Short mmCIF file of all heavy atoms in Angstrom, two decimals:
data_model
loop_
_atom_site.label_atom_id
_atom_site.label_comp_id
_atom_site.label_asym_id
_atom_site.label_seq_id
_atom_site.Cartn_x
_atom_site.Cartn_y
_atom_site.Cartn_z
N TRP U 166 74.36 3.63 -79.81
CA TRP U 166 73.63 4.15 -78.66
C TRP U 166 73.55 3.11 -77.55
O TRP U 166 73.63 3.44 -76.37
CB TRP U 166 72.23 4.61 -79.08
CG TRP U 166 71.56 5.35 -77.98
CD1 TRP U 166 70.49 4.91 -77.24
CD2 TRP U 166 71.89 6.62 -77.45
NE1 TRP U 166 70.15 5.84 -76.29
CE2 TRP U 166 71.00 6.90 -76.40
CE3 TRP U 166 72.87 7.56 -77.75
CZ2 TRP U 166 71.06 8.07 -75.67
CZ3 TRP U 166 72.92 8.73 -77.02
CH2 TRP U 166 72.02 8.97 -76.00
N GLU U 167 73.39 1.83 -77.90
CA GLU U 167 73.38 0.77 -76.89
C GLU U 167 74.71 0.72 -76.15
O GLU U 167 74.75 0.58 -74.92
CB GLU U 167 73.10 -0.58 -77.54
CG GLU U 167 71.68 -0.76 -78.02
CD GLU U 167 71.47 -2.08 -78.72
OE1 GLU U 167 72.35 -2.96 -78.65
OE2 GLU U 167 70.41 -2.24 -79.36
N ILE U 168 75.81 0.84 -76.90
CA ILE U 168 77.14 0.81 -76.29
C ILE U 168 77.34 2.02 -75.39
O ILE U 168 77.85 1.91 -74.27
CB ILE U 168 78.23 0.73 -77.38
CG1 ILE U 168 78.13 -0.63 -78.09
CG2 ILE U 168 79.62 0.93 -76.79
CD1 ILE U 168 78.94 -0.72 -79.37
N GLU U 169 76.94 3.21 -75.85
CA GLU U 169 77.06 4.42 -75.04
C GLU U 169 76.24 4.30 -73.75
O GLU U 169 76.68 4.74 -72.69
CB GLU U 169 76.60 5.65 -75.83
CG GLU U 169 77.53 6.05 -76.95
CD GLU U 169 78.87 6.58 -76.46
OE1 GLU U 169 78.92 7.21 -75.37
OE2 GLU U 169 79.87 6.36 -77.15
N THR U 170 75.06 3.72 -73.84
CA THR U 170 74.22 3.53 -72.67
C THR U 170 74.91 2.59 -71.67
O THR U 170 74.92 2.86 -70.46
CB THR U 170 72.85 2.96 -73.07
OG1 THR U 170 72.24 3.87 -73.99
CG2 THR U 170 71.95 2.78 -71.88
N LEU U 171 75.49 1.50 -72.16
CA LEU U 171 76.21 0.57 -71.29
C LEU U 171 77.36 1.29 -70.60
O LEU U 171 77.50 1.20 -69.37
CB LEU U 171 76.74 -0.62 -72.08
CG LEU U 171 77.72 -1.53 -71.33
CD1 LEU U 171 77.02 -2.20 -70.15
CD2 LEU U 171 78.31 -2.56 -72.26
N PHE U 172 78.19 2.01 -71.35
CA PHE U 172 79.32 2.70 -70.75
C PHE U 172 78.85 3.75 -69.75
O PHE U 172 79.46 3.94 -68.70
CB PHE U 172 80.21 3.34 -71.81
CG PHE U 172 81.08 2.37 -72.54
CD1 PHE U 172 81.48 2.62 -73.83
CD2 PHE U 172 81.49 1.18 -71.96
CE1 PHE U 172 82.28 1.72 -74.53
CE2 PHE U 172 82.28 0.27 -72.63
CZ PHE U 172 82.68 0.55 -73.92
N GLY U 173 77.76 4.45 -70.07
CA GLY U 173 77.22 5.44 -69.13
C GLY U 173 76.80 4.79 -67.82
O GLY U 173 77.06 5.32 -66.74
N CYS U 174 76.15 3.64 -67.91
CA CYS U 174 75.73 2.92 -66.69
C CYS U 174 76.93 2.43 -65.90
O CYS U 174 76.95 2.50 -64.67
CB CYS U 174 74.83 1.75 -67.04
SG CYS U 174 73.21 2.24 -67.64
N LEU U 175 77.94 1.94 -66.58
CA LEU U 175 79.11 1.43 -65.89
C LEU U 175 79.94 2.56 -65.27
O LEU U 175 80.58 2.37 -64.24
CB LEU U 175 80.00 0.62 -66.83
CG LEU U 175 79.42 -0.72 -67.31
CD1 LEU U 175 80.38 -1.38 -68.28
CD2 LEU U 175 79.10 -1.63 -66.16
N LYS U 176 79.92 3.74 -65.90
CA LYS U 176 80.77 4.82 -65.43
C LYS U 176 80.07 5.75 -64.45
O LYS U 176 80.36 5.75 -63.26
CB LYS U 176 81.30 5.60 -66.63
CG LYS U 176 82.29 4.79 -67.47
CD LYS U 176 82.59 5.41 -68.79
CE LYS U 176 83.36 6.69 -68.66
NZ LYS U 176 83.77 7.26 -69.91
N SER U 177 79.13 6.53 -64.91
CA SER U 177 78.61 7.61 -64.06
C SER U 177 77.15 7.46 -63.63
O SER U 177 76.71 8.13 -62.72
CB SER U 177 78.78 8.95 -64.78
OG SER U 177 78.08 8.92 -66.01
N ARG U 178 76.40 6.59 -64.27
CA ARG U 178 74.98 6.47 -63.94
C ARG U 178 74.67 5.16 -63.21
O ARG U 178 73.74 4.46 -63.56
CB ARG U 178 74.13 6.55 -65.22
CG ARG U 178 74.12 7.90 -65.85
CD ARG U 178 73.09 7.99 -66.95
NE ARG U 178 73.10 6.86 -67.85
CZ ARG U 178 73.55 6.89 -69.09
NH1 ARG U 178 74.06 7.97 -69.59
NH2 ARG U 178 73.51 5.81 -69.84
N GLY U 179 75.45 4.84 -62.21
CA GLY U 179 75.09 3.64 -61.47
C GLY U 179 76.26 2.92 -60.83
O GLY U 179 76.41 2.90 -59.62
N PHE U 180 77.13 2.31 -61.63
CA PHE U 180 78.18 1.47 -61.07
C PHE U 180 79.46 2.23 -60.72
O PHE U 180 80.30 1.73 -60.00
CB PHE U 180 78.50 0.32 -62.03
CG PHE U 180 77.38 -0.68 -62.14
CD1 PHE U 180 76.54 -0.67 -63.24
CD2 PHE U 180 77.16 -1.62 -61.15
CE1 PHE U 180 75.50 -1.58 -63.34
CE2 PHE U 180 76.12 -2.54 -61.25
CZ PHE U 180 75.29 -2.52 -62.35
N ASN U 181 79.63 3.42 -61.25
CA ASN U 181 80.78 4.30 -60.95
C ASN U 181 82.13 3.59 -61.08
O ASN U 181 82.99 3.68 -60.21
CB ASN U 181 80.62 4.92 -59.57
CG ASN U 181 79.41 5.80 -59.49
OD1 ASN U 181 79.04 6.45 -60.48
ND2 ASN U 181 78.76 5.82 -58.36
N PHE U 182 82.31 2.91 -62.18
CA PHE U 182 83.54 2.16 -62.47
C PHE U 182 84.79 3.03 -62.36
O PHE U 182 85.81 2.60 -61.84
CB PHE U 182 83.42 1.57 -63.89
CG PHE U 182 84.59 0.77 -64.36
CD1 PHE U 182 84.97 -0.38 -63.71
CD2 PHE U 182 85.30 1.15 -65.48
CE1 PHE U 182 86.03 -1.14 -64.16
CE2 PHE U 182 86.36 0.40 -65.93
CZ PHE U 182 86.73 -0.74 -65.27
N GLU U 183 84.71 4.28 -62.80
CA GLU U 183 85.88 5.16 -62.79
C GLU U 183 86.31 5.55 -61.38
O GLU U 183 87.47 5.88 -61.14
CB GLU U 183 85.60 6.42 -63.60
CG GLU U 183 85.51 6.16 -65.08
CD GLU U 183 85.20 7.41 -65.88
OE1 GLU U 183 84.52 8.30 -65.35
OE2 GLU U 183 85.64 7.48 -67.02
N ASP U 184 85.37 5.52 -60.44
CA ASP U 184 85.70 5.93 -59.07
C ASP U 184 86.64 4.95 -58.36
O ASP U 184 87.15 5.27 -57.29
CB ASP U 184 84.43 6.10 -58.24
CG ASP U 184 83.62 7.31 -58.67
OD1 ASP U 184 84.14 8.12 -59.46
OD2 ASP U 184 82.47 7.43 -58.21
N THR U 185 86.86 3.78 -58.94
CA THR U 185 87.75 2.80 -58.30
C THR U 185 89.21 3.21 -58.42
O THR U 185 90.02 2.84 -57.59
CB THR U 185 87.59 1.41 -58.94
OG1 THR U 185 88.00 1.47 -60.30
CG2 THR U 185 86.16 0.93 -58.83
N HIS U 186 89.56 3.95 -59.46
CA HIS U 186 90.94 4.40 -59.73
C HIS U 186 91.90 3.23 -59.86
O HIS U 186 93.09 3.36 -59.57
CB HIS U 186 91.42 5.38 -58.66
CG HIS U 186 90.57 6.59 -58.55
ND1 HIS U 186 90.51 7.56 -59.53
CD2 HIS U 186 89.70 6.99 -57.59
CE1 HIS U 186 89.66 8.52 -59.17
NE2 HIS U 186 89.14 8.18 -58.00
N LEU U 187 91.39 2.07 -60.26
CA LEU U 187 92.26 0.91 -60.46
C LEU U 187 93.12 1.11 -61.70
O LEU U 187 92.67 1.67 -62.71
CB LEU U 187 91.43 -0.36 -60.63
CG LEU U 187 90.72 -0.89 -59.40
CD1 LEU U 187 89.87 -2.10 -59.76
CD2 LEU U 187 91.71 -1.26 -58.32
N VAL U 188 94.36 0.63 -61.65
CA VAL U 188 95.25 0.70 -62.80
C VAL U 188 95.85 -0.66 -63.16
O VAL U 188 96.35 -0.85 -64.26
CB VAL U 188 96.39 1.73 -62.59
CG1 VAL U 188 95.83 3.14 -62.57
CG2 VAL U 188 97.16 1.45 -61.32
N ASP U 189 95.81 -1.59 -62.23
CA ASP U 189 96.35 -2.93 -62.47
C ASP U 189 95.45 -3.67 -63.47
O ASP U 189 94.25 -3.86 -63.20
CB ASP U 189 96.43 -3.71 -61.16
CG ASP U 189 96.96 -5.12 -61.34
OD1 ASP U 189 97.96 -5.27 -62.07
OD2 ASP U 189 96.36 -6.05 -60.77
N PRO U 190 96.00 -4.09 -64.62
CA PRO U 190 95.17 -4.73 -65.66
C PRO U 190 94.41 -5.96 -65.18
O PRO U 190 93.27 -6.18 -65.55
CB PRO U 190 96.18 -5.11 -66.75
CG PRO U 190 97.33 -4.20 -66.53
CD PRO U 190 97.38 -3.92 -65.06
N GLU U 191 95.04 -6.77 -64.33
CA GLU U 191 94.37 -7.99 -63.84
C GLU U 191 93.16 -7.63 -62.96
O GLU U 191 92.09 -8.20 -63.09
CB GLU U 191 95.35 -8.86 -63.06
CG GLU U 191 94.76 -10.21 -62.69
CD GLU U 191 95.78 -11.12 -62.02
OE1 GLU U 191 96.98 -11.02 -62.34
OE2 GLU U 191 95.35 -11.94 -61.19
N ARG U 192 93.35 -6.66 -62.08
CA ARG U 192 92.24 -6.24 -61.22
C ARG U 192 91.14 -5.56 -62.04
O ARG U 192 89.95 -5.76 -61.77
CB ARG U 192 92.73 -5.29 -60.14
CG ARG U 192 93.52 -5.99 -59.07
CD ARG U 192 93.91 -5.05 -57.98
NE ARG U 192 94.52 -5.79 -56.89
CZ ARG U 192 94.69 -5.30 -55.68
NH1 ARG U 192 94.30 -4.08 -55.40
NH2 ARG U 192 95.24 -6.03 -54.75
N LEU U 193 91.54 -4.75 -63.02
CA LEU U 193 90.55 -4.11 -63.89
C LEU U 193 89.73 -5.15 -64.64
O LEU U 193 88.52 -5.03 -64.77
CB LEU U 193 91.25 -3.19 -64.90
CG LEU U 193 91.65 -1.82 -64.39
CD1 LEU U 193 92.55 -1.13 -65.39
CD2 LEU U 193 90.42 -0.98 -64.12
N SER U 194 90.40 -6.18 -65.13
CA SER U 194 89.72 -7.24 -65.86
C SER U 194 88.70 -7.96 -64.99
O SER U 194 87.56 -8.20 -65.41
CB SER U 194 90.75 -8.23 -66.40
OG SER U 194 90.13 -9.28 -67.08
N LYS U 195 89.09 -8.27 -63.76
CA LYS U 195 88.18 -8.95 -62.84
C LYS U 195 87.00 -8.06 -62.47
O LYS U 195 85.85 -8.51 -62.44
CB LYS U 195 88.92 -9.39 -61.58
CG LYS U 195 89.88 -10.53 -61.82
CD LYS U 195 90.64 -10.89 -60.56
CE LYS U 195 91.64 -12.00 -60.84
NZ LYS U 195 92.44 -12.33 -59.66
N LEU U 196 87.27 -6.79 -62.20
CA LEU U 196 86.20 -5.87 -61.85
C LEU U 196 85.25 -5.67 -63.03
O LEU U 196 84.03 -5.65 -62.87
CB LEU U 196 86.76 -4.52 -61.39
CG LEU U 196 85.71 -3.48 -61.01
CD1 LEU U 196 84.81 -3.97 -59.87
CD2 LEU U 196 86.38 -2.16 -60.64
N PHE U 197 85.81 -5.54 -64.23
CA PHE U 197 84.96 -5.36 -65.41
C PHE U 197 84.07 -6.58 -65.64
O PHE U 197 82.90 -6.44 -65.99
CB PHE U 197 85.81 -5.06 -66.65
CG PHE U 197 84.99 -4.56 -67.79
CD1 PHE U 197 84.48 -3.28 -67.78
CD2 PHE U 197 84.70 -5.38 -68.86
CE1 PHE U 197 83.71 -2.81 -68.83
CE2 PHE U 197 83.94 -4.94 -69.91
CZ PHE U 197 83.44 -3.65 -69.90
N ALA U 198 84.62 -7.78 -65.43
CA ALA U 198 83.82 -9.00 -65.57
C ALA U 198 82.68 -9.02 -64.55
O ALA U 198 81.54 -9.35 -64.88
CB ALA U 198 84.70 -10.24 -65.41
N LEU U 199 82.98 -8.61 -63.32
CA LEU U 199 81.96 -8.55 -62.28
C LEU U 199 80.89 -7.51 -62.62
O LEU U 199 79.69 -7.76 -62.47
CB LEU U 199 82.60 -8.23 -60.94
CG LEU U 199 81.67 -8.15 -59.74
CD1 LEU U 199 81.02 -9.51 -59.48
CD2 LEU U 199 82.41 -7.68 -58.52
N LEU U 200 81.32 -6.35 -63.12
CA LEU U 200 80.37 -5.31 -63.50
C LEU U 200 79.50 -5.76 -64.68
O LEU U 200 78.31 -5.43 -64.74
CB LEU U 200 81.09 -4.01 -63.85
CG LEU U 200 81.70 -3.25 -62.67
CD1 LEU U 200 82.48 -2.04 -63.17
CD2 LEU U 200 80.63 -2.82 -61.70
N ALA U 201 80.08 -6.49 -65.61
CA ALA U 201 79.30 -7.00 -66.75
C ALA U 201 78.20 -7.94 -66.26
O ALA U 201 77.06 -7.87 -66.72
CB ALA U 201 80.21 -7.70 -67.75
N LEU U 202 78.54 -8.83 -65.32
CA LEU U 202 77.53 -9.72 -64.75
C LEU U 202 76.47 -8.94 -63.98
O LEU U 202 75.28 -9.22 -64.10
CB LEU U 202 78.20 -10.74 -63.83
CG LEU U 202 79.02 -11.82 -64.51
CD1 LEU U 202 79.79 -12.63 -63.47
CD2 LEU U 202 78.15 -12.71 -65.36
N ALA U 203 76.91 -7.96 -63.19
CA ALA U 203 75.96 -7.15 -62.42
C ALA U 203 75.04 -6.37 -63.34
O ALA U 203 73.83 -6.29 -63.11
CB ALA U 203 76.72 -6.21 -61.49
#
């Protein structure tokens, strides 16, 4: 449930990670690291 809550916050309930439509692995990695800190 903790993991699901984290993914929900990163995806649709706040940070909208999916809306970036990034596909480049290096850019995804950097953005994910930034989102984790945020």
Side-chain angles (χ1 to χ4, degrees):
W166 189 251
E167 289 177 12
I168 293 167
E169 289 292 328
T170 301
L171 170 64
F172 285 152
C174 290
L175 292 178
K176 291 168 68 175
S177 59
R178 290 190 314 253
F180 291 102
N181 297 326
F182 180 62
E183 290 179 330
D184 290 349
T185 64
H186 302 290
L187 289 177
V188 292
D189 179 45
E191 187 175 330
R192 287 184 173 196
L193 280 169
S194 178
K195 289 177 182 177
L196 179 59
F197 193 74
L199 181 64
L200 288 176
L202 288 171

